Amino acid sequence: MMKRLTAALVAATLGLSIVAAPQTARADDPYWQCVTFARMLSGIQIFGDAWTWWRQAVDKFRTGDAPEQGSVLVFQPSGRMSRGHVAVVSDILTDRVIRVTHANWGGSRGKVEENVTVVDVSGSGDWSQVKVWYSPIRDLGTSVYPTYGFVYKNAAEAGQQVGEGALRLAQGGGSAVAGGAR
């Protein structure tokens, strides 16, 4: 219980410190889907709807229930998120709080959001249920999202692919907004 409370306090404090004014969308801005963006940024070459990434990854990549920088958190289909969601871990803050960079989430349809706070709210600390920072309320969203876990890059590919993905993002663009969504 104390770990969950600490994680929530850390998330709230961090979230308030990174709130930025939203950027105005332009007609020539790319419209990012979460899977296309996650594949490009992480270098993990999995295709198809987000919820299929977990099944596809089992035989090709390491998978697990602990975040690693550059790994992909795979969300299960839930509610309006009927095709699941994928997000790339950009930072690990505590054993129950991470930041992700992802696209096409909540109120930021088609946009990229960087360093969004995600908190593990599962009873056993296995990242099977998370809450995601939601900028409009400047707090964690009220929804709890089920996840499959993390897909990790293969060790030999890790450094090269993340660097290439970041370079492509920097060159090709995509709007970035600090904070998060639900």
Side-chain angles (χ1 to χ4, degrees), residues 8-170:
L9 290 173
V10 168
T13 302
L14 292 170
L16 289 174
S17 69
I18 62 168
V19 175
Q23 296 178 352
T24 305
R26 298 181 333 195
D28 61 345
D29 283 347
Y31 187 96
W32 289 103
Q33 295 291 341
C34 68
V35 293
T36 306
F37 181 77
R39 182 174 47 250
M40 183 191 72
L41 186 61
S42 71
I44 296 174
Q45 295 299 304
I46 297 179
F47 296 82
D49 289 339
W51 70 272
T52 70
W53 277 45
W54 188 255
R55 179 180 37 84
Q56 292 183 64
V58 170
D59 293 332
K60 298 176 187 169
F61 297 90
R62 291 182 306 116
T63 58
D65 62 4
E68 289 181 9
Q69 196 165 7
S71 64
V72 175
L73 177 60
V74 183
F75 290 72
Q76 295 182 24
S78 173
R80 294 181 306 172
M81 193 172 57
S82 63
R83 294 183 178 173
H85 184 68
V86 288
V88 180
V89 176
S90 50
D91 200 8
I92 300 168
L93 303 174
T94 73
D95 61 335
R96 307 255 317 203
V97 181
I98 61 174
R99 286 193 177 148
V100 300
T101 297
H102 62 171
N104 200 25
W105 176 265
S108 298
R109 295 285 179 216
K111 300 295 176 207
V112 172
E113 294 179 309
E114 294 180 284
N115 299 319
V116 177
T117 301
V118 177
V119 177
D120 173 17
V121 295
S122 65
S124 58
D126 63 2
W127 289 90
S128 60
Q129 295 182 313
V130 299
K131 283 191 170 192
V132 180
W133 183 261
Y134 187 49
S135 288
I137 63 171
R138 296 181 139 182
D139 199 355
L140 290 174
T142 57
S143 298
V144 174
Y145 297 98
T147 70
Y148 291 109
F150 297 90
V151 177
Y152 312 111
K153 294 181 291 293
N154 292 328
E157 303 169 331
Q160 179 183 357
Q161 290 179 341
V162 169
E164 290 171 359
L167 178 62
R168 283 192 299 267
L169 177 61

